Amino acid sequence: MLSQENLKELENKLLQEKSELESEIQNVEKTAPDFGADTDSFEEETDEAEELSTQFGIDRTLKERLDDIEAALGKIGSGDYGACEKCRGEISLELLRLDPESRYCRQCKQTG
């Protein structure tokens, strides 16, 4: 069982990571290329399409991580934080410090 002190430490870490991710997402969305505008050649359009595809992938990954963090913060609020979603066992403090949005204990992560 996590102590209140440990819970607060992890909550603060999650909130910090959430803020950083939100900033990263905004930056990725701001720097999206103006696809198809003012292109002089097929090669330029291809480069823009490739860059846009890369940015969409980055944006999706960041948003998925943000969803995980928001879910972890919700679990803190409901009192379910630190419980493995698979076996309902306790997720170790060591693992939560490394990965505070972790949904699974070490054993369940290893067994898939």
Side-chain angles (χ1 to χ4, degrees):
M1 182 93 183
L2 295 170
S3 71
Q4 286 294 72
E5 184 179 310
N6 290 333
L7 199 56
K8 191 65 179 168
E9 166 197 341
L10 294 165
E11 180 180 31
N12 287 337
K13 187 172 183 176
L14 286 163
L15 289 169
Q16 177 66 35
E17 288 182 21
K18 179 182 178 199
S19 176
E20 290 170 6
L21 280 171
E22 288 171 337
S23 293
E24 283 183 63
I25 290 168
Q26 285 180 349
N27 288 335
V28 167
E29 290 174 351
K30 282 182 192 174
T31 60
D34 191 9
F35 184 68
D38 198 32
T39 56
D40 297 334
S41 69
F42 178 72
E43 290 153 357
E44 191 175 347
E45 285 184 25
T46 302
D47 290 344
E48 283 185 2
E50 190 174 312
E51 183 179 343
L52 186 62
S53 175
T54 299
Q55 286 184 319
F56 281 147
I58 291 169
D59 189 54
R60 188 182 79 239
T61 300
L62 293 172
K63 286 181 177 178
E64 286 172 0
R65 182 140 186 259
L66 182 60
D67 288 345
D68 288 344
I69 288 171
E70 288 174 340
L73 289 167
K75 288 178 184 181
I76 289 173
S78 69
D80 293 327
Y81 184 73
C84 176
E85 289 183 7
K86 190 171 183 181
C87 72
R88 299 304 303 158
E90 188 175 328
I91 301 172
S92 72
L93 178 59
E94 176 187 18
L95 179 57
L96 289 171
R97 282 186 171 146
L98 292 173
D99 184 17
E101 67 270 20
S102 183
R103 298 168 46 203
Y104 305 107
C105 67
R106 190 174 310 273
Q107 183 176 352
C108 289
K109 279 185 178 212
Q110 290 173 346
T111 59

